[in-house]
Amino acid sequence: MVRGGRGGGGAERRAPVTVRARRCHAGACVSEILQEIRNRTIRTMCSHKNMPHSIWTLSPLQRKTLLQHILVNDEYRFLYCYVPKVACSNWKRVLKVLSGALESVDVNVKMDHRSDLTFLSSLKPEEIRYRLKHYYKFMFVREPMERLLSAFRNKFGEIESYKKKYGVEIIKRYRKGHAKDTNIKGDDVTFAEFVRYLLDEDVDRMNEHWMPVYNLCQPCAVSYNFIGSYEHLESDSEFVLQRIGAPPHVHFPERQTWYKPVTTETLHYYLCSLPQKLLRELLPKYILDFSLFTYPFPNTTTEHCRH
């Protein structure tokens, strides 16, 4: 396991760091065990010949996507690969506080996802190489279907631009008798229609909100020091802040009061409502997110769904 001060340090490939510094409760650290399992899983799967071992062996499109999702902080020497629907807005707040662009993570302002942030894509190749080699690198993951459902409910339930851009297209394409309908608002897309749309999409060209985490952050091409979990967001985030040497007054923001979590029951309802054929075809699209980050496939057997 890799330990040390600020920055990644060293040129060798490394798997995510195990969380030794965190206090264990009830005799065991679930998050620490999870890091250890992910560490070994990623190391094993990424060692296969057909997996990328450097960002420079990625296709131009894959590399562009990756570099546009890695945020840079030079003062604290870290790289953060942000994943939409995995608390990335709150992490961007933290980055803005660390850079001095925002006074506090608790300031009530609408998040601008581009301003006052440095993206790895804005740097020259030699600058990118240096930071990938020497900086501390981290990312956060979430159960793949839960993240997908969170994106669906948010974008097609609340965001007008997504209804107009994606909703209208999905309904025209997948709802019988609506191919030439000019009165579609795109505000009543069903989850099954959304899934049919995803099945026809190339993962490398998907919208970032439902693109697999693997394709966004390329954990085989980039040696992340730490991969946190949405399920242990607060403790994993505090660990990262401690690890990068953030000032004591900088803490990870609490969830917004308007936040609507995807409960186990809600996810169960949506997945069990899908035609099983659709679900069987959807899961392989996210197979690397399930396997690399050690999430079990959802149980949608008839017996399970009956409950």
Side-chain angles (χ1 to χ4, degrees):
M1 285 301 161
V2 184
R3 306 300 294 170
R6 283 186 192 167
E12 74 280 3
R13 282 192 58 83
R14 292 166 308 176
V17 122
T18 298
V19 189
R20 298 293 181 198
R22 190 180 302 130
R23 286 178 185 167
C24 289
H25 297 281
C29 280
V30 174
S31 195
E32 178 177 348
I33 295 167
L34 191 57
Q35 279 295 315
E36 183 68 40
I37 294 169
R38 281 194 184 136
N39 180 345
R40 295 177 185 219
T41 304
I42 290 171
R43 193 164 49 203
T44 300
M45 292 189 66
C46 291
S47 65
H48 294 168
K49 286 183 180 179
N50 62 336
M51 301 298 260
H53 298 110
S54 160
I55 71 162
W56 309 108
T57 60
L58 298 171
S59 73
L61 177 60
Q62 290 171 332
R63 185 162 57 249
K64 179 183 178 183
T65 297
L66 171 65
L67 296 179
Q68 287 177 341
H69 282 82
I70 294 183
L71 295 168
V72 183
N73 183 291
D74 285 326
E75 182 181 354
Y76 293 91
R77 296 173 63 85
F78 70 79
L79 303 177
Y80 161 56
C81 184
Y82 79 87
V83 177
K85 310 312 297 181
V86 192
C88 73
S89 295
N90 277 345
W91 266 111
K92 287 174 181 177
R93 280 179 177 269
V94 171
L95 264 74
K96 291 188 180 193
V97 171
L98 289 174
S99 68
L102 201 61
E103 184 181 347
S104 162
V105 294
D106 301 315
V107 173
N108 189 19
V109 293
K110 183 175 171 59
M111 170 56 62
D112 185 321
H113 289 269
R114 307 299 301 177
S115 69
D116 301 313
L117 294 167
T118 303
F119 294 82
L120 202 55
S121 57
S122 68
L123 304 182
K124 297 174 183 176
E126 61 270 23
E127 295 173 327
I128 293 171
R129 283 190 176 90
Y130 177 85
R131 284 158 180 78
L132 284 171
K133 181 177 178 180
H134 295 289
Y135 282 20
Y136 185 78
K137 299 170 287 293
F138 69 94
M139 58 181 284
F140 277 76
V141 297
R142 184 178 186 179
E143 199 283 327
M145 293 298 101
E146 184 184 303
R147 173 176 170 253
L148 192 65
L149 180 55
S150 177
F152 169 75
R153 293 171 79 197
N154 171 237
K155 300 306 173 190
F156 295 101
E158 303 169 22
I159 312 299
E160 287 301 320
S161 60
Y162 273 74
K163 295 175 189 177
K164 290 176 181 176
K165 181 178 181 181
Y166 295 99
V168 171
E169 178 192 350
I170 289 171
I171 291 171
K172 282 187 174 183
R173 204 191 291 183
Y174 300 101
R175 192 173 296 177
K176 286 183 179 179
H178 288 73
K180 296 180 180 179
D181 191 341
T182 56
N183 297 316
I184 297 171
K185 294 181 180 179
D187 60 354
D188 61 344
V189 175
T190 67
F191 190 56
E193 288 168 341
F194 176 56
V195 169
R196 286 189 172 93
Y197 164 75
L198 293 177
L199 293 179
D200 288 338
E201 285 287 282
D202 175 358
V203 290
D204 284 330
R205 298 180 186 278
M206 282 182 176
N207 178 281
E208 63 175 2
H209 290 87
W210 43 82
M211 182 182 282
V213 175
Y214 174 85
N215 299 77
L216 288 172
C217 293
Q218 297 288 348
C220 289
V222 176
S223 299
Y224 291 96
N225 301 88
F226 184 82
I227 297 179
S229 298
Y230 189 78
E231 297 79 15
H232 305 104
L233 181 60
E234 287 77 15
S235 56
D236 281 358
S237 297
E238 290 304 323
F239 172 78
V240 170
L241 289 172
Q242 180 185 358
R243 180 62 179 73
I244 63 174
H249 71 274
V250 178
H251 63 91
F252 193 74
E254 293 182 8
R255 285 198 174 104
Q256 302 294 326
T257 52
W258 46 260
Y259 174 74
K260 299 175 187 172
V262 174
T263 64
T264 304
E265 292 75 21
T266 306
L267 181 62
H268 175 88
Y269 171 79
Y270 274 88
L271 294 182
C272 286
S273 299
L274 274 180
Q276 288 301 291
K277 181 177 181 291
L278 280 186
L279 187 62
R280 282 196 302 271
E281 292 174 1
L282 176 67
L283 294 178
K285 287 255 182 188
Y286 296 87
I287 185 70
L288 288 173
D289 285 4
F290 280 107
S291 53
L292 278 174
F293 308 128
T294 61
Y295 285 109
F297 271 2
N299 183 356
T300 56
T301 58
T302 305
E303 183 180 354
H304 183 74
C305 285
R306 205 177 283 134
H307 296 294

